[in-house]
Amino acid sequence: MNRLKDKVAIVTGSTSGIGIGIAHVYAAEGAKVIVCGRRVEKGQAVVDDIIKEGGEASFHAMDITDVSSIEKLIEDTVETYGRIDILVNNAANVSLKDGRVDELTVDMWDAIFQSDLRGTFYIIKCALPHMMKNTNGGSIINIGSMASCSGDLGSTAYACAKAGVDMLTQSVALQYGKSNIRCNCVRPGLIVTPQNEAHIPQALKDIFLSNIMVNRYGCPEDIAHACVYFGADESEYVTGQIITIDGGLNSHTPTVAQFRAMGSRTW
């Protein structure tokens, strides 16, 4: 406990799913958490729950696709708390329609990149000057996706945008490391949340579980604990890293589940 004691942490997209998990775990570790997103009522409910648990949090409305909204979030956070120690870039619109290259329109492509890559770039750009003023710099944690690990039958624009987040992570780490600002990326695998569980078909769950190397799906806390490590002082020598937290899904050949079902080790 208290690994993030008194650190000021912005967690974008923390009105649902993984973001809620990060916000709760951060508060439990002593951080002053700024919960932000477009849904005011849900965001305030997250804040209320954190306060009931003995943590410290506040809500700020923010739309990751609106640069003025991002600027206001950063300005108000610094005005209220005096600094920004941790920025967790979790906000992304995974509900936007995506598909194969021939199915995508330019407008669809642009909308996904605006939400999932441009917004991450711009909030980092706005936070950097304030982190540079800190004695101990700051930590930026980008939430990527296992979609950027390899090609897929669909989700082309989403995967490309998240691959951009990977490279943005390494660029920020390189360019601002000497200013004591670290940047790392956490790529979640299949994370089952209270918000999405009812919408994940059982067939999809079965496919994932047969290929995951452990005996369960991921949960928001799995991602949150990695974010705690990257935000805490104990990881001050760790930057530019991209870690995939997917139960080992992407660490083996793609035929493992089929051979396992056959009772065979190989062909």
Side-chain angles (χ1 to χ4, degrees):
M1 304 297 289
N2 291 325
R3 293 162 72 192
L4 304 177
K5 183 174 175 56
D6 295 329
K7 289 185 182 292
V8 177
I10 295 174
V11 182
T12 70
S14 45
T15 59
S16 66
I18 291 173
I20 292 179
I22 296 172
H24 275 274
V25 173
Y26 263 41
E29 290 288 354
K32 300 174 182 179
V33 181
I34 296 86
V35 173
C36 52
R38 293 179 296 180
R39 292 170 286 191
V40 176
E41 289 185 6
K42 290 187 176 182
Q44 189 57 53
V46 174
V47 169
D48 293 343
D49 287 342
I50 287 174
I51 292 173
K52 287 178 185 177
E53 295 166 0
E56 183 174 350
S58 60
F59 177 75
H60 197 294
M62 189 273 295
D63 181 347
I64 197 63
T65 66
D66 183 350
V67 295
S68 61
S69 174
I70 292 172
E71 291 168 354
K72 193 74 166 66
L73 166 67
I74 298 299
E75 291 170 2
D76 289 352
T77 299
V78 173
E79 182 177 344
T80 302
Y81 296 97
R83 68 186 192 278
I84 299 170
D85 299 302
I86 304 170
L87 171 61
V88 181
N89 289 313
N90 173 68
N93 193 342
V94 296
S95 65
L96 289 171
K97 184 179 178 181
D98 201 348
R100 303 191 327 173
V101 171
D102 63 298
E103 297 168 336
L104 284 166
T105 66
V106 171
D107 287 342
M108 292 161 60
W109 177 276
D110 288 347
I112 291 169
F113 266 71
Q114 181 184 42
S115 170
D116 296 359
L117 181 55
R118 191 187 77 162
T120 300
F121 149 75
Y122 194 68
I123 195 169
I124 291 174
K125 178 180 174 67
C126 292
L128 279 171
H130 301 287
M131 286 187 168
M132 288 179 177
K133 296 176 183 177
N134 296 342
T135 302
N136 295 323
S139 177
I140 298 168
I141 301 128
N142 296 325
I143 305 300
S145 171
M146 72 170 185
S148 67
C149 295
S150 58
D152 201 354
L153 295 173
S155 302
T156 307
Y158 174 75
C160 290
K162 287 301 187 179
V165 170
D166 292 351
M167 185 51 64
L168 178 62
T169 297
Q170 293 181 325
S171 296
V172 172
L174 169 65
Q175 294 166 12
Y176 302 98
K178 297 298 185 181
S179 298
N180 291 324
I181 296 172
R182 297 180 294 111
C183 188
N184 294 286
C185 179
V186 177
R187 297 193 299 205
L190 176 64
I191 304 298
V192 178
T193 73
Q195 291 77 26
N196 72 13
E197 184 168 12
H199 305 289
I200 303 176
Q202 187 60 46
L204 180 62
K205 290 182 180 179
D206 292 343
I207 290 171
F208 270 84
L209 194 57
S210 68
N211 284 283
I212 290 171
M213 295 174 66
V214 296
N215 293 314
R216 65 173 176 85
Y217 311 110
C219 64
E221 289 72 23
D222 292 319
I223 308 305
H225 293 314
C227 290
V228 169
Y229 173 70
F230 284 132
D233 293 341
E234 65 203 61
S235 63
E236 64 179 9
Y237 196 56
V238 181
T239 191
Q241 301 306 300
I242 301 169
I243 179 172
T244 305
I245 299 180
D246 61 356
L249 178 64
N250 284 281
S251 66
H252 58 72
T253 58
T255 54
V256 165
Q258 290 75 20
F259 281 123
R260 180 179 287 161
M262 294 168 55
S264 173
R265 293 183 180 179
T266 186
W267 53 273

